[in-house]
Amino acid sequence: MPRSTLLLLSVASLTLAATLPFGGAAWARDLQIDPSGTLTSGDETALVFPSLEAALAEAQLQGGERIFLHSGNYGDLTIQGQHLEPPVSLRPAPGAQAVADRLKIADSSGWHVSGLLIEPQRAIEPVVTTPDRGTPGFPTTLLQVAADARDIRLEDLTVRSAPSIADWGESEWIERAHHGVALEGARVHLLNSTIMHVRHAITVTGTGVRVEGNTIDRFSEDAVRALGDDGIYRGNTIKNCYSLYYHHDDGFQSWSRGPDGSPGTGVVRNVEITGNSIINFEDPDQPFRCNLQGIGLFDGMFENWTIANNLVVVDHFHGITVMGARQVKVLNNTVIDARPGQPGPPWVTVVAHKDGTAGSGNLVANNLSASFNEGGFDARDFRLDPEATLFTHNLRFDDARQIFRDPDRGDFRLRAGSAAIDAGTADFGTYGQAGAEPGPDLTVDLLGQPRAPDRAPDVGAYEFVQ
């Protein structure tokens, strides 16, 4: 093996140390990736490679290795054909900043990738594909987990098209903004990461995907597209939407797909959207401010979903809208009009499928909003479906100052004396637990505060705390 490619310091003594998520045995060995070629180490267990590609080709990974990326620009990183158990960790070395233009994981399993900055350091050649309706340009995706990958953990990443958009206008958004993350594989976890300065931030088509604790900031199309079964979307913050060309932008959007991929011809099952904050804009003077739709499930059917404990602050009539639902629960959400006047105020509603197919067994309870549509409506060609959904213990308000602590400053916790206190119900009857297994914890609010066990819960996403 050429010394210029692989420097073997020693493999005689391999120490076993920490373990990884997804189970498995202890670490086998450490691999160091040093693109500068200057690394020296007294660590007798270390293997040093000039690139990740060289490490994957030459190290013969057995599972359990830790791969450390030293400071540098790694260009496009690709992990392919690597199925490992116990999992392998890929992360920056202590104190290092490892930057990749893009990351793709395909035909692989058992990888834990953390701590990377994924940001193009060069112009990326456009990928010529059919763009979404009305959207210009051909952006690429900065982080992709392909459909033939599974059991991947992505954590503490920063994914962005550029470090700043302060000087961006329409042409920069079209020419420089890329899509953030596409999760097509099964059982992929995206945790505690930041996705910013992108078009679509996160698109999920894989099954059993968990998207938790992430921040999506400054995006120009949809924040999250939740298209796969058995998904969990918990504790994410979505904020600051930009609009520069025709596109109806959503905080969360979903649609079903039939065998031929046509929207509205299938079923999306067992999904949880809980404890998320969706904020249309933080600065009312933000340039290119969009009219963000909150949670829009527009082309059912949607079966066995839970949408609970979310804060939705949007400048649109779609606060939470489900079109074509079976056994869907919409519970304890707070929905706020971000700006008076049209196109709001945002509503909470469940209606029939666009093709007129009726739903069944749905529950909308304990929600706090400026508007509700309990029997369905047809003003915008939405089909009536009044028998499919029970609306109960919801509270409509006109004056936010009478309900919340400081709505003018974005504090939507309940104020003392609010009509929402103790106004909810904990009796969900025979509706049972909906959403992906093991199911959301509905005994706590958006902040993790317990719902009072000895009295009725409060209406909305926040339980009152004196």
Side-chain angles (χ1 to χ4, degrees), residues 59-324:
Q60 298 181 354
L61 301 180
Q62 301 300 310
E65 289 89 354
R66 293 186 299 185
I67 303 176
F68 292 100
L69 299 173
H70 289 257
S71 293
N73 176 18
Y74 287 82
D76 287 346
L77 287 178
T78 301
I79 300 169
Q80 187 160 4
Q82 300 285 332
H83 295 275
L84 297 162
E85 178 63 34
V88 166
S89 169
L90 177 68
R91 68 178 90 163
Q97 184 178 48
V99 184
D101 291 344
R102 291 180 290 193
L103 171 63
K104 181 176 181 178
I105 303 174
D107 186 23
S108 297
S109 61
W111 282 82
H112 178 189
V113 182
S114 62
L116 301 185
L117 170 61
I118 303 174
E119 174 195 309
Q121 303 299 299
R122 58 181 174 82
I124 295 178
E125 183 177 349
V127 178
V128 180
T129 57
T130 301
D132 286 349
R133 179 182 59 181
T135 62
F138 300 96
T140 189
T141 298
L142 299 178
L143 170 57
Q144 180 185 9
V145 179
D148 54 4
R150 65 181 186 275
D151 298 315
I152 305 296
R153 185 181 180 97
L154 308 165
E155 191 166 10
D156 295 322
L157 305 175
T158 298
V159 181
R160 64 195 188 193
S161 300
S164 173
I165 59 168
D167 61 346
W168 279 21
E170 182 175 0
S171 61
E172 285 79 15
W173 274 102
I174 292 171
E175 295 168 8
R176 297 181 59 187
H178 296 292
H179 299 316
V181 180
L183 305 178
E184 303 164 8
R187 299 182 301 279
V188 180
H189 295 181
L190 177 64
L191 310 172
N192 304 320
S193 295
T194 299
I195 299 94
M196 60 195 305
H197 310 158
V198 294
R199 294 191 179 201
H200 295 311
I202 301 172
T203 298
V204 175
T205 54
T207 60
V209 171
R210 299 176 72 109
V211 176
E212 300 186 53
N214 304 286
T215 297
I216 298 170
D217 189 6
R218 302 183 186 92
F219 59 98
S220 66
E221 296 184 18
D222 295 333
V224 178
R225 291 178 155 189
L227 310 181
D229 293 345
D230 305 311
I232 293 176
Y233 304 86
R234 183 183 296 161
N236 303 285
T237 298
I238 295 167
K239 58 185 182 179
N240 301 323
C241 174
Y242 285 66
S243 178
L244 299 106
Y245 40 79
Y246 171 77
H247 189 275
H248 71 78
D249 307 310
D250 301 272
F252 281 86
Q253 185 182 183
S254 184
W255 64 87
S256 71
R257 297 166 297 163
D260 64 352
S262 298
T265 58
V267 182
V268 187
R269 297 180 172 89
N270 310 326
V271 175
E272 170 194 333
I273 300 177
T274 60
N276 304 281
S277 296
I278 303 172
I279 312 297
N280 197 145
F281 54 85
E282 293 177 300
D283 178 3
D285 296 323
Q286 172 193 306
F288 309 114
R289 190 182 67 215
C290 85
N291 301 119
L292 184 66
Q293 300 178 158
I295 298 174
L297 316 184
F298 295 131
D299 293 272
M301 300 296 290
F302 303 100
E303 186 174 288
N304 199 41
W305 284 55
T306 294
I307 303 170
N309 285 340
N310 300 288
L311 172 65
V312 179
V313 185
V314 293
D315 185 17
H316 203 280
F317 51 85
H318 284 304
I320 299 175
T321 298
V322 185
M323 303 181 69

